[in-house]
Amino acid sequence: MTTHQDNYSNFSNNHIDKDSYSLIAGQLIRRIREYRKISQSELADRAGTNTSYISTVENGKNNISICKASMICNGLEIPVASLMTMLNCIYESLQLTRQQSGD
């Protein structure tokens, strides 16, 4: 079983690399989509993209641009600023966790 810490193993020295950031963003997008009970297909239609792209984003395999993030946020009916704020909160939480663990 993979833990959250395993998912963020590329986070070190108070820095998060591109791959970890993509994974965190993708997981957040998936959680919002599932909370809103929207399928990947429906989100893809709403965002003007395809299901394969949504899947790669949610799996952290795609470093999305702000333009694509905006399209996905429109599909999720949330402001881009809200997504960025949530990502920032996750980042700060990970920083604090690392500092407290002495890494």
Side-chain angles (χ1 to χ4, degrees):
M1 177 176 196
T2 303
T3 66
H4 289 293
Q5 192 64 35
D6 293 336
N7 288 340
Y8 307 122
S9 61
N10 294 333
F11 177 81
S12 62
N13 300 323
N14 297 328
H15 171 53
I16 190 164
D17 67 30
K18 180 180 75 165
D19 293 336
S20 293
Y21 191 82
S22 295
L23 178 63
I24 294 166
Q27 289 176 344
L28 179 58
I29 288 167
R30 173 181 286 135
R31 287 182 180 175
I32 295 167
R33 178 182 60 77
E34 290 173 344
Y35 176 80
R36 294 188 173 273
K37 298 182 179 10
I38 299 170
S39 68
Q40 283 186 337
S41 178
E42 184 178 353
L43 178 56
D45 288 344
R46 290 179 180 192
T49 189
N50 58 58
T51 305
S52 177
Y53 181 78
I54 297 298
S55 178
T56 61
V57 167
E58 289 184 354
N59 288 311
K61 308 242 186 261
N62 199 327
N63 188 19
I64 64 174
S65 68
I66 193 69
C67 180
K68 288 287 190 177
S70 177
M71 294 169 66
I72 290 171
C73 285
N74 285 338
L76 292 170
E77 299 178 344
I78 63 167
V80 176
S82 294
L83 179 69
M84 297 303 148
T85 298
M86 287 184 268
L87 287 170
N88 189 53
C89 288
I90 292 168
Y91 174 76
E92 288 178 359
S93 175
L94 288 172
Q95 263 187 324
L96 183 59
T97 300
R98 294 295 273 187
Q99 289 170 358
Q100 289 174 345
S101 69
D103 290 342

